[in-house]
Amino acid sequence: MRKRIIITAAMLATSAIPALAEGDLVKGEAVFKRCSACHAIGEGAKNKVGPQLNGIIGRAAGGAADYNYSTAMKKAGEDGQVWTVEELRDFLSAPKKKIPGNKMASAGVSKPEELDNLIAYIESAASKPAE
């Protein structure tokens, strides 16, 4: 019985129900402009210097098709790293700290409000299909 309770608790703790980001989409789009030199998002998005971000929520790290990820990012995905809102928050606040050795040039977004807005925008725009 105890084993069954532990398994059930573990399953609930790792459920696939994503947390929704809270933020201003218009302000988030403005923050994303800093990212757009390397990343595309939304309808027709394609890989650039960085991977396109459509479908990022729920995707394994290093999991965008046809993108040549760093060894560090591929390993993160192989080790079970999946992009949730909270995982994105951790990564985007300090990319080199979260996944040392990744190719992302940005130092991250340090202001919590900007980060909330950016993640809300990514979550909203990323639901559009890529080509």
Side-chain angles (χ1 to χ4, degrees), residues 67-89:
Y67 183 76
N68 185 25
Y69 286 96
S70 65
T71 301
M73 191 63 75
K74 288 177 193 173
K75 182 168 180 353
E78 290 165 3
D79 290 346
Q81 169 72 50
V82 174
W83 296 121
T84 63
V85 168
E86 286 308 313
E87 290 293 325
L88 270 178
R89 183 179 317 285

Side-chain angles (χ1 to χ4, degrees), residues 29-41 48-50 53 118 121:
E29 184 175 16
V31 176
F32 185 78
K33 287 186 182 183
R34 292 184 238 161
C35 312
S36 65
C38 297
H39 296 280
I41 195 167
K48 295 170 129 183
V49 172
L53 300 177
L118 175 61
Y121 175 73

Side-chain angles (χ1 to χ4, degrees), residues 70-73 75-76 91 94-103:
S70 65
T71 301
M73 191 63 75
K75 182 168 180 353
F91 180 73
K96 297 294 183 193
K97 182 178 176 186
K98 176 70 177 172
I99 301 179
N102 80 78
K103 295 192 298 189

